[in-house]
Amino acid sequence: MIKLITFSLAALLIVSCGTSKKTPAPSIIPGEAQLTAIKAKFPDATAQTLSEGYSIYTGACTNCHGQKNIFKRSEASWMHEIDDMSPKANLTAAQKDALTKYILAMKATQPSESK
Ligand code: HEC
């Protein structure tokens, strides 16, 4: 009986999540659009640069606090935060560069509804 109730509750939860009207948070995984956008500014940037930046952002940058919302901060504010936080995360110059390009690529392709 308990099992049946648990199962029904789980099913209900899954169904209600699926029909929720809340817009999902925009993806922060870099793809083709982000690569095109960053190459316009930095022709030397590659998919590898962006995936390294993404790994740092979701890795070393979450050692002390949760993930910050990329879209809720201006480019200028991000440049300031990256200067502040890179030493805290012990990033090398190359890692800081990859992180910067990743953030700029995400900002350049930011969905307008999350501005
Ligand atoms: C050693 C711990 C530590 C690491 C690693 C770290 N941070 Fe932070 N971060 C903090 C602390 C403490 C604060 C709040 C105080 C401050 O602003 O200095 C903060 C604040 C911030 C803020 C502004 C706070 C806000 O919500 O307004 C941002 C953005 C941020 N961090 C991004 C990053 C990024 C990006 C990285 C990776 C490069 C990173 N952090 C790595 C400790 C850390």
Side-chain angles (χ1 to χ4, degrees), residues 39-80:
K39 271 177 170 294
K41 265 190 177 169
F42 302 98
D44 63 321
T46 64
Q48 176 61 40
T49 316
L50 294 186
S51 74
E52 190 190 350
Y54 173 72
S55 307
I56 295 165
Y57 189 70
T58 53
C61 292
T62 61
N63 282 347
C64 304
H65 47 65
Q67 239 173 63
K68 304 290 177 184
N69 190 327
I70 296 178
F71 304 120
K72 297 237 155 86
R73 197 170 284 278
S74 71
E75 254 187 51
S77 164
W78 265 118
M79 294 307 98
H80 175 81

Side-chain angles (χ1 to χ4, degrees), residues 8 13 29-30 56-57 59 69 95 99:
S8 315
L13 203 68
I29 301 170
I56 295 165
Y57 189 70
N69 190 327
Q95 287 172 323
L99 175 67

